[in-house]
Amino acid sequence: MEEVVAVRHGAVRSVVVAGSLVLGVAGAAQAQGGGPVADVAYHGQVVLSRGHLRVWMVPENEGPAALPDVTVRLRLSAELADQQELADGCVRAGMRDVVCGTGPLPMQGQGRHIGLAMDLREWVPEVVVRVDTSWNGGAADRNLSNNEHVVLALDTGDAYVF
């Protein structure tokens, strides 16, 4: 069963993550297969207004190893209009998909902020936006809960955060 998150911006003043334990290891952590261990996370917001979809997000790496680049994928429940002007580092990957490179993700740091303004093919009352990692350079990520999001955005102009 998939969890759909729809929290209107401003409805939550603060978020406390409880029960998280991160064990530090000297040097860059390596997975059993020899690749790096990292914890990629995405935080942002989705706004739908009159067939215009805006997505703003900040990719983060909560460690323990730095990553040279990651590719975040956005999958929409509605088709995009044929013509789109996407942000640098972003490309269309289908009628409903967009992928963006995050650039380097330092250990315990943020990547470049990604802002997308996209037009939908036709007006819809709501859009489901799925955010996940398409490619992470072979890193092991043992906490997928902070980089796989499903956001329901209603066509109200409100910001829905993830």
Side-chain angles (χ1 to χ4, degrees):
M1 176 192 249
E2 242 179 341
E3 180 181 348
V4 175
V5 177
V7 178
R8 199 172 80 239
H9 182 66
V12 177
R13 289 195 182 271
S14 65
V15 176
V16 176
V17 178
S20 295
L21 176 63
V22 177
L23 300 175
V25 179
Q30 298 289 314
Q32 280 186 339
V37 175
D39 184 10
V40 177
Y42 306 109
H43 304 287
Q45 65 182 20
V46 177
V47 176
L48 178 63
S49 179
R50 292 177 260 198
H52 187 73
L53 181 68
R54 291 177 301 180
V55 179
W56 177 84
M57 77 177 101
V58 179
E60 297 179 2
N61 178 8
E62 297 175 2
L67 297 173
D69 197 23
V70 171
T71 304
V72 61
R73 174 177 48 205
L74 297 143
R75 294 178 290 155
L76 312 176
S77 63
E79 289 185 8
L80 292 164
D82 290 336
Q83 300 296 315
Q84 300 290 329
E85 284 191 38
L86 299 174
D88 287 341
C90 297
V91 296
R92 195 166 170 167
M95 295 299 294
R96 300 173 180 216
D97 298 352
V98 172
V99 293
C100 298
T102 64
L105 290 179
M107 181 177 63
Q108 301 296 320
Q110 295 182 343
R112 68 182 183 92
H113 295 203
I114 299 170
L116 296 165
M118 302 172 286
D119 291 320
L120 300 178
R121 181 175 296 282
E122 58 187 43
W123 179 87
V124 293
E126 64 186 32
V127 170
V128 175
V129 179
R130 298 174 192 285
V131 179
D132 64 10
T133 300
S134 174
W135 178 83
N136 68 3
D141 189 336
R142 295 186 179 110
N143 181 12
L144 299 179
S145 66
N146 59 2
N147 69 337
E148 293 181 354
H149 303 283
V150 180
V151 182
L152 171 65
L154 305 178
D155 188 5
T156 60
D158 292 324
Y160 296 88
V161 297
F162 61 92

